[in-house]
Amino acid sequence: AQSVTQPDIHITVSEGASLELRCNYSYGATPYLFWYVQSPGQGLQLLLKYFSGDTLVQGIKGFEAEFKRSQSSFNLRKPSVHWSDAAEYFCAVGRQKLVFGQGTRLTINP
Amino acid sequence: EPEVTQTPSHQVTQMGQEVILRCVPISNHLYFYWYRQILGQKVEFLVSFYNNEISEKSEIFDDQFSVERPDGSNFTLKIRSTKLEDSAMYFCASTGGASVTYEQYFGPGTRLTVT
């Protein structure tokens, strides 16, 4: 069965610090992987995606993610966070039907 | 930039009533979806729709739910007899333009409150 695990429910980092959000997946075929961000009261915005090819993918807002097949992981990174990055982050896997992780809430300390 | 829109943003209804949630997907997209997110829980797939028929549905999507594309622009989710446990945020998404991709673009959601 397809599943996504985001081990960290809540992460707090200081503004300007680096960030890594973890995502592990279980998927029977070659996974299509996504990271979405949800600001309070807002919908889901696509940050980046991985379908094939280069395992390091760049997204919007300075985010990147690395696909590691051997670890079944697709971790999201940002070298220096901004206060506006505070939001809920969801990892998802799938093609027509997306399976989401439970989300990681990111808090930024000034 | 094209976007998915949803109306209303918030719907309050009494248990047992019918509700229709409306979505306008991105105009050249061919695949449409509904997801829901119960407060504090993960986003869950409900149904996918392509070529005027359901292509996949989850266990949640029982006989109380139905979807329709009544015209060339709208995509609706109907809940025939709402239950308290239907209270959630409902997201519409679309994908698949001229070259099919799997990037689903989500609307802002409709918060459904069943009392």
Side-chain angles (χ1 to χ4, degrees):
Chain A
Q2 302 160 18
S3 66
V4 175
T5 301
Q6 294 179 246
D8 305 305
I9 295 174
H10 186 199
I11 283 183
T12 300
V13 298
S14 298
E15 190 165 17
S18 63
L19 171 71
E20 182 169 28
L21 302 183
R22 295 182 291 165
C23 171
N24 293 96
Y25 67 89
S26 172
Y27 194 76
T30 301
Y32 285 17
L33 293 155
F34 307 86
W35 275 99
Y36 284 87
V37 61
Q38 183 182 34
S39 299
Q42 303 297 311
L44 298 162
Q45 182 182 23
L46 180 66
L47 281 177
L48 46 75
K49 62 188 183 290
Y50 172 79
F51 294 161
S52 64
D54 192 348
T55 56
L56 184 64
V57 293
Q58 304 296 319
I60 62 171
K61 305 186 180 188
F63 285 93
E64 67 178 27
E66 186 171 13
F67 170 61
K68 292 185 177 180
R69 185 185 297 276
S70 61
Q71 298 177 20
S72 298
S73 69
F74 188 57
N75 294 349
L76 181 72
R77 300 195 293 248
K78 187 169 185 178
S80 176
V81 298
H82 185 262
W83 64 265
S84 60
D85 293 325
E88 187 100 19
Y89 291 80
F90 293 93
C91 181
V93 65
R95 298 190 182 190
Q96 295 298 337
K97 163 189 166 182
L98 292 183
V99 175
F100 284 82
Q102 66 187 61
T104 297
R105 184 159 60 94
L106 176 64
T107 300
I108 308 294
N109 279 337
Chain B
E1 184 175 326
E3 59 182 18
V4 177
T5 59
Q6 291 185 243
T7 54
S9 57
H10 190 191
Q11 174 90 48
V12 180
T13 189
Q14 290 190 324
M15 194 167 52
Q17 295 297 303
E18 174 184 287
V19 293
I20 297 176
L21 310 183
R22 290 181 167 80
C23 168
V24 179
I26 294 173
S27 62
N28 66 340
H29 282 183
L30 303 173
Y31 298 81
F32 314 112
Y33 310 85
W34 284 101
Y35 292 81
R36 79 170 185 191
Q37 184 183 30
I38 295 172
L39 189 63
Q41 298 186 23
K42 63 174 68 176
V43 178
E44 302 172 287
F45 169 81
L46 290 179
V47 66
S48 59
F49 190 86
Y50 170 71
N51 200 26
N52 275 325
E53 60 183 28
I54 291 173
S55 46
E56 187 173 356
K57 60 183 181 179
S58 71
E59 294 174 353
I60 304 166
F61 195 88
D62 61 22
D63 292 343
Q64 293 299 311
F65 292 87
S66 63
V67 289
E68 191 179 28
R69 186 153 164 84
D71 53 44
S73 60
N74 291 282
F75 180 51
T76 62
L77 174 69
K78 182 193 291 185
I79 309 175
R80 288 191 183 81
S81 178
T82 50
K83 308 183 188 104
L84 293 176
E85 54 264 37
D86 293 326
S87 294
M89 181 74 91
Y90 288 81
F91 293 106
C92 173
S94 69
T95 191
S99 57
V100 176
T101 69
Y102 296 99
E103 305 170 29
Q104 293 186 24
Y105 291 87
F106 284 76
T110 294
R111 180 167 299 285
L112 177 64
T113 302
V114 182
T115 62

